[in-house]
Amino acid sequence: MDYEIFDLGDVTLQSGVTLPNAFLAYKTYGRLNEKKDNVIVYPTAFGDQHVQNEWLIGNGMALDPQKYFIIVPNLLGNGLSSSPSNTPPPFDRANFPQVTIYDNVTFQHRLVTETFGIQKIALVVGWSMGGIQAFQWGASYPDMVERIAPFAGVAKTWPQTYVVLDGMKAALMAAVRFDSSKLDQLTSSDMRAVGRVYAGWGVSQAFYREELYRELGFDSLEDFVTGVWEDSFMKMDPHNVLAMLWTGQHADISANPVYNGDFDAALGGIKALACIMPGSTDLFCPADDNEYEAKLIPHADFTPIESIWGHFAGRGINRADNHFIDDNLKRLLALRTNE
């Protein structure tokens, strides 16, 4: 086990349900300095675990463990933190309660403050659903978070993204003929169709047209769809995926008692210096949605990743995109805050 566990105890979720013996799985990189001001929080995305974040952490990079103390908390539902697959009855599998982005960030705040005594965070950064968590950190704890850098992630699930996630959910529901009473019959093999649905959204039309999958070692389109999309989704537990899909579909940084659904006010409440990096050809989290959000955040730079890798421009696969993200993080971290 290359990660640690933070016991949350019995937690009451936004839904009102109490999840007993909840826990966050997390991993840290580097050392916390004496002033406790070298902290970077880097939440995981949908379906990812902390190891999938490690491509952006390294000596000489913006997220340099020689310089910063980097905390990677795992999303609830991802199989390491409290999830349908590791929670005993009565909240196992299809009975796992609904967890929001706000819940996740609230628990991460407990981890940061209770375990480490941290009061200032230099940067919250994240890809996709990790990016939504970065926005949420900025909105929920504006006096604590100095910088945020969401890439290929939006501050709420706009209608386009909701529909994509709904298509993924429908693929699983079809496996049990849309009978929610039979959800516990789902197996990992039912995830094959989910991978096929996501294949059309993860990368751009130009990626497919120019056959960039050949750069990844696949000789044909079919090999790529099978070897990447089907394979990666079939490794996931279907009940974990349904839990994370719910979290994703209902993500909104204003859906909490602080902002009461006023999305523009939530964006305006972010005091952090923000570098917002959508993928220019992202079909899943379109750049236009981020552009709207950036205009309402007082100290935000809108800096698209010019790439035909679509949503996966932020996935750590394409070298040029990786350099762009890392360079912008270095620039952001070099900026002085008003604190």
Side-chain angles (χ1 to χ4, degrees), residues 33-54:
N33 66 13
E34 225 173 287
K35 292 183 178 180
K36 299 187 177 183
D37 63 357
N38 67 331
V39 178
I40 294 175
V41 178
Y42 184 12
T44 62
F46 173 96
D48 280 355
Q49 298 178 350
H50 55 274
V51 291
Q52 273 84 39
N53 282 17
E54 291 179 343

Side-chain angles (χ1 to χ4, degrees), residues 213-263:
Y213 49 81
R214 296 185 185 279
E215 294 181 10
L216 301 176
F218 295 95
D219 294 329
S220 70
L221 178 61
E222 178 61 25
D223 287 345
F224 174 63
V225 172
T226 303
V228 171
W229 303 116
E230 285 190 4
D231 184 61
S232 60
F233 275 90
M234 287 176 69
K235 289 176 182 174
M236 301 181 200
D237 179 281
H239 301 103
N240 290 350
V241 167
L242 283 173
M244 290 184 288
L245 283 172
W246 191 95
T247 301
Q249 283 191 288
H250 296 86
D252 182 340
I253 64 168
S254 67
N256 52 67
V258 180
Y259 296 104
N260 295 308
D262 190 333
F263 183 61

Side-chain angles (χ1 to χ4, degrees), residues 36-304:
K36 299 187 177 183
D37 63 357
N38 67 331
V39 178
I40 294 175
V41 178
Y42 184 12
T44 62
F46 173 96
D48 280 355
Q49 298 178 350
H50 55 274
V51 291
Q52 273 84 39
N53 282 17
E54 291 179 343
W55 68 270
L56 195 51
I57 302 170
N59 295 343
M61 300 182 71
L63 274 58
D64 189 338
Q66 299 294 319
K67 185 176 181 182
Y68 292 103
F69 182 60
I70 304 151
I71 305 170
V72 179
N74 284 270
L75 186 75
L76 268 73
N78 82 341
L80 296 184
S81 292
S82 286
S83 304
S85 62
N86 61 23
T87 299
F91 294 118
D92 60 322
R93 295 189 292 173
N95 301 309
F96 194 73
Q98 296 166 343
V99 180
T100 64
I101 292 293
Y102 181 77
D103 288 328
N104 273 279
V105 170
T106 300
F107 301 150
Q108 292 166 21
H109 180 262
R110 281 188 54 192
L111 164 68
V112 166
T113 55
E114 294 175 20
T115 300
F116 301 107
I118 292 164
Q119 298 301 320
K120 282 288 180 186
I121 297 174
L123 171 68
V124 185
V125 59
W127 172 64
S128 194
M129 245 161 85
I132 299 177
Q133 292 168 78
F135 278 114
Q136 187 71 68
W137 264 101
S140 291
Y141 305 102
D143 295 320
M144 184 179 189
V145 177
E146 296 179 328
R147 301 168 188 83
I148 62 169
F151 52 98
V154 284
K156 73 173 182 179
T157 298
W158 293 78
Q160 159 75 5
T161 309
Y162 184 95
V163 169
V164 176
L165 293 171
D166 214 44
M168 295 165 67
K169 178 183 175 182
L172 276 176
M173 295 302 295
V176 290
R177 297 183 180 274
F178 291 89
D179 184 346
S180 57
S181 70
K182 296 180 179 178
L183 286 175
D184 280 347
Q185 298 176 15
L186 291 170
T187 67
S188 292
S189 64
D190 295 318
M191 292 296 297
R192 176 180 283 113
V194 182
R196 289 266 171 177
V197 170
Y198 192 73
W201 299 102
V203 291
S204 74
Q205 304 99 322
F207 175 96
Y208 283 117
R209 186 170 58 247
E210 297 186 20
E211 300 183 351
L212 291 190
Y213 49 81
R214 296 185 185 279
E215 294 181 10
L216 301 176
F218 295 95
D219 294 329
S220 70
L221 178 61
E222 178 61 25
D223 287 345
F224 174 63
V225 172
T226 303
V228 171
W229 303 116
E230 285 190 4
D231 184 61
S232 60
F233 275 90
M234 287 176 69
K235 289 176 182 174
M236 301 181 200
D237 179 281
H239 301 103
N240 290 350
V241 167
L242 283 173
M244 290 184 288
L245 283 172
W246 191 95
T247 301
Q249 283 191 288
H250 296 86
D252 182 340
I253 64 168
S254 67
N256 52 67
V258 180
Y259 296 104
N260 295 308
D262 190 333
F263 183 61
D264 289 2
L267 292 168
I270 296 173
K271 296 180 181 179
L273 302 178
C275 179
I276 298 169
M277 294 179 276
S280 62
T281 58
D282 194 336
L283 303 172
F284 185 61
C285 295
D288 288 353
D289 294 337
N290 268 161
E291 188 172 18
Y292 174 90
E293 295 163 353
K295 287 176 180 175
L296 293 176
I297 296 173
H299 309 289
D301 282 338
F302 177 70
T303 313

